[in-house]
Amino acid sequence: MTNIALLGLGVVGGGVAEVISQNNDTIARKTGEHINIKYILDLRDFPDHPLGGRVVHDINTILADPEVTVVAEMMGGSHPAYDYTRAALEAGKHVVTSNKEVVATFGAELLRIAKEHHVRYLFEASVGGGIPVIRPISSCLAANELTEVDGILNGTTNYILTQMIQASKSFEEALAEAQQKGYAERNPAADVEGIDSCRKICILSALAFGKLFSPNGVHTEGITAITGEDVANAEAYGGVIKLIGRTGLVDPSDPASGVFMLVAPHVIPHDNPLSGVDDVFNSILVRGNAVGDVMFYGRGAGNLPTASAVVSDIIDIIAHKDAEIFVPDWTSVSADELVAQQTLPYAFLVRVRIDATYDAACEQIRSVYPGVEILTNSDAYASVLSFVTPQTTESELKDALSTIGEAVSLIRIMPE
Amino acid sequence: MTNIALLGLGVVGGGVAEVISQNNDTIARKTGEHINIKYILDLRDFPDHPLGGRVVHDINTILADPEVTVVAEMMGGSHPAYDYTRAALEAGKHVVTSNKEVVATFGAELLRIAKEHHVRYLFEASVGGGIPVIRPISSCLAANELTEVDGILNGTTNYILTQMIQASKSFEEALAEAQQKGYAERNPAADVEGIDSCRKICILSALAFGKLFSPNGVHTEGITAITGEDVANAEAYGGVIKLIGRTGLVDPSDPASGVFMLVAPHVIPHDNPLSGVDDVFNSILVRGNAVGDVMFYGRGAGNLPTASAVVSDIIDIIAHKDAEIFVPDWTSVSADELVAQQTLPYAFLVRVRIDATYDAACEQIRSVYPGVEILTNSDAYASVLSFVTPQTTESELKDALSTIGEAVSLIRIMPE
């Protein structure tokens, strides 16, 4: 029997208790051991919960008990989650977590501490909810030089965009509906402004390239400025708008060429498999120099899917007990070391305001981008025109637009 | 440094040599060790290959060398691949393989032998080429009771069907094109008759349910009888035809309810993510009681993708050296123990020949299936009519058809 402690009995913590209770015999069949939740740390008491008698309020009860070998941290937020994680690792306990904020901010340090204390720090649940992605990248694709990772990493924003695309809702309407269904929080900023996606792509980037870039400095755009016109223009171009976390090598054939990373709405052409990922589903596309493109798909949130990943990490620890497992070595670096996103090659879907007749406005655009296709009809023209640029960079585009008119919106088009 | 031996320097074996040569420094960075290909067993000599000097013709050279710790078997076919695998495991060497025929036929026995000799038998490359699926199922989803696995498991047939759907080619035309492009072998029987898919779904079923059913007795239909009419009818219904390997619990809430398995063309409704998997791509959808549906997608064949999986298995062995790893326990059972596929609940897309006027033929169908929608227009009627049944079973359907007319084709519709 393996004794564990849960830190937090919220949505994910409650899910973990439920999955262990429901599937404990299956787990024992696979590992030879049952899991026993010996303690649950929470500020609250849970007199009506079947495990209510195991709730404690002092982390030291858990740290001091040598029978507890695994701690599952599902508190959310940086503090005290980071502090408790660190203390547990230093006390020689394995830690598994669903807390992307802690992994994205302190992951390099915590992995180092885990290594020093011959324990493991696992975080499958921090990206993609229940979708297996962390271990597949670090283990199943280990034979590859990875060159790029692109992901739809946030279910809330993907639900909102899907409603805007398929039901022609406005951003505000779709957000209100997502809140009503429990897919978005009352304060949706971390989701709709891309902060959650940013933490996740930082974790994936560290897995792929060994450097944990500080999420704070990563170029991050959310979806609050996306309008029905953008959605229609994307459709006219042949794609759909998705919020994408993207990281990769600038030159896929040269690992020394530098790493880029950004979070932003992208037009995903219909022939890209990410274009079909709708509603609250997440998907992560990984490119390796041997395997080509592989994609992982599933529910990126929810209590049971996320709990599935947490418990699978616990099972992995039980199944490899006493083994000296290879621990990844991450360097913590400033986002200043990223290749500047303004220099990345992109075509852009542009909306621009030009105070002129339709024909004159078209001519003004074509004087800079000869032969470019204008997506706006003369009938629909009311001083704003949409078009798709040839491949350029954000820096060049902004220079060019200064001679054309006032930029209303710039959306990147996902390269092949 | 880890010394390994390759059995076979064909398409996959050559890919493994290439991936190791190209990515050996990356591998060493991840595991602390380089891989050295000490021997290559092949009937042929390869005087011009950079590793030509390491070719041997006698398996005993490899078995007798204590420096060789890992053997990678990529010979294909049952014999001597099975015999060499068994001998290597008995000699205390780990074995990794891409050989689905050996895993599907002898996997239970070989896993047992591996366990007895404290070595590992890994086969990530046997299903889905480079797509991580074996390890994600057995490890990342270990917290779940799995209830179903559905897969597009054969790139050749998926390419042919995609050409029939998107380019309106006949089966014969599409097959000829696949052969010309190197996607299909000159003798395509193992692919187009579903035998390859059957071996793979047997492996996935064993991972999910612990029983390795003998592939020989599993109901297996290929795609040779699929016509343009079937494709058009599927489109009219709202889906596409894919060759699916399918296994699951008859009652998802009761593991004792029995396991079903079959390989057959299915109509996949457009809202099922498997419907968008085209060309030579493979995809595997796994359903668990905590995680819900997750899907894995990528290139299911090809030298480098498959080699990626073989080498990742080798890396896994190096990374867990000296660890006592949990080995799955498969029971080898006859396919007679499967729940009879004729009793599975399915709606069917049916083409039936009725010698009567259009109206009389429709009435004949509706006398058995009241209110059913007839997909064939009166204009297009030439004694064959298409319709979709309500949920039934193959047994019931065949009884019903005996009173309606002569069945031309029956295609299952994938349930939700």
Side-chain angles (χ1 to χ4, degrees), chain A residues 76-94:
Chain A
S78 276
H79 299 284
Y82 157 75
D83 313 273
Y84 290 178
T85 299
R86 190 185 163 127
L89 294 170
E90 287 173 343
K93 300 179 191 308
H94 305 284

Side-chain angles (χ1 to χ4, degrees), chain B residues 181-205:
Chain B
K181 291 199 169 184
Y183 297 155
E185 300 186 45
R186 193 165 304 184
N187 177 354
D191 291 322
V192 299
E193 289 172 8
I195 300 164
D196 175 79
S197 295
C198 180
R199 290 173 181 145
K200 291 170 177 167
I201 196 68
C202 285
I203 296 171
L204 294 171
S205 186

Side-chain angles (χ1 to χ4, degrees), chain B residues 138-264:
Chain B
S138 55
S139 161
C140 308
L141 300 176
N144 291 263
E145 289 273 9
L146 298 182
T147 58
E148 184 162 334
V149 182
D150 305 324
I152 295 171
L153 301 169
N154 180 273
T156 307
T157 45
N158 205 43
Y159 180 84
I160 292 171
L161 288 171
T162 303
Q163 287 297 311
M164 292 176 69
I165 294 163
Q166 296 182 353
S168 301
K169 299 213 165 105
S170 69
F171 170 77
E172 291 73 18
E173 288 166 343
L175 171 60
E177 188 183 304
Q179 286 172 317
Q180 195 200 328
K181 291 199 169 184
Y183 297 155
E185 300 186 45
R186 193 165 304 184
N187 177 354
D191 291 322
V192 299
E193 289 172 8
I195 300 164
D196 175 79
S197 295
C198 180
R199 290 173 181 145
K200 291 170 177 167
I201 196 68
C202 285
I203 296 171
L204 294 171
S205 186
L207 281 170
F209 307 115
K211 288 183 181 173
L212 181 63
F213 292 95
S214 167
N216 292 331
V218 174
H219 178 85
T220 302
E221 296 174 34
I223 63 163
T224 53
I226 302 292
T227 66
E229 290 81 52
D230 295 321
V231 168
N233 286 330
E235 181 59 42
Y237 171 77
V240 287
I241 297 176
K242 299 283 180 192
L243 183 64
I244 299 288
R246 193 167 174 242
T247 186
L249 299 176
V250 171
D251 175 355
S253 64
D254 178 12
S257 63
V259 173
F260 69 84
M261 178 153 48
L262 78 166
V263 174

Side-chain angles (χ1 to χ4, degrees), chain A residues 84-323:
Chain A
Y84 290 178
T85 299
R86 190 185 163 127
L89 294 170
E90 287 173 343
K93 300 179 191 308
H94 305 284
V95 177
V96 304
T97 187
S98 60
N99 190 325
K100 55 226 161 207
E101 189 174 335
V102 168
V103 180
T105 315
F106 304 105
E109 179 193 359
L110 292 170
L111 281 169
R112 186 175 47 72
I113 294 172
K115 194 171 200 170
E116 285 167 8
H117 291 81
H118 306 286
V119 288
R120 298 175 75 194
Y121 180 52
L122 299 179
F123 41 86
E124 180 64 70
S126 67
V127 180
I131 309 170
V133 57
I134 302 286
R135 192 170 300 113
I137 290 180
S138 55
S139 162
C140 308
L141 300 177
N144 290 264
E145 289 273 9
L146 298 183
T147 58
E148 183 161 336
V149 182
D150 306 324
I152 295 172
L153 301 169
N154 180 273
T156 307
T157 45
N158 204 43
Y159 180 82
I160 292 171
L161 288 171
T162 304
Q163 287 296 311
M164 292 176 70
I165 294 163
Q166 295 183 355
S168 302
K169 297 211 166 109
S170 69
F171 170 76
E172 290 73 18
E173 288 166 343
L175 171 59
E177 188 183 305
Q179 287 172 318
Q180 196 199 328
K181 292 201 170 182
Y183 296 156
E185 299 187 43
R186 193 165 305 183
N187 177 353
D191 291 322
V192 299
E193 289 173 7
I195 300 165
D196 176 78
S197 295
C198 180
R199 289 172 181 146
K200 292 169 177 167
I201 196 68
C202 285
I203 296 170
L204 294 171
S205 185
L207 281 169
F209 307 114
K211 288 183 180 174
L212 181 63
F213 292 96
S214 168
N216 292 330
V218 175
H219 178 85
T220 302
E221 295 174 35
I223 63 164
T224 54
I226 302 292
T227 67
E229 288 83 49
D230 295 322
V231 168
N233 286 330
E235 180 60 41
Y237 172 76
V240 287
I241 298 177
K242 299 282 179 191
L243 183 64
I244 299 288
R246 193 167 174 242
T247 187
L249 299 177
V250 171
D251 175 356
S253 65
D254 178 13
S257 63
V259 173
F260 69 85
M261 177 153 48
L262 77 166
V263 174
H266 283 66
V267 177
I268 312 294
H270 286 306
D271 62 357
N272 182 317
L274 290 174
S275 70
V277 177
D278 291 329
D279 298 320
V280 296
F281 283 84
N282 284 16
S283 190
I284 295 101
L285 189 147
V286 183
R287 188 166 292 163
N289 70 344
V291 78
D293 286 358
V294 296
M295 198 174 88
F296 307 92
Y297 168 95
R299 284 183 184 278
N303 59 341
L304 293 184
T306 308
S308 159
V310 172
V311 177
S312 294
D313 274 349
I314 298 172
I315 292 172
D316 192 66
I317 288 169
I318 298 173
H320 296 97
K321 210 182 272 191
D322 306 324

Side-chain angles (χ1 to χ4, degrees), chain A residues 23 26 30 140 143 145 312 326, chain B residues 23 26 30 140 143 145 312 326:
Chain A
N23 293 349
T26 310
K30 289 176 186 167
C140 308
E145 289 273 9
S312 294
F326 178 78
Chain B
N23 295 349
T26 311
K30 289 176 185 166
C140 308
E145 289 273 9
S312 295
F326 178 79

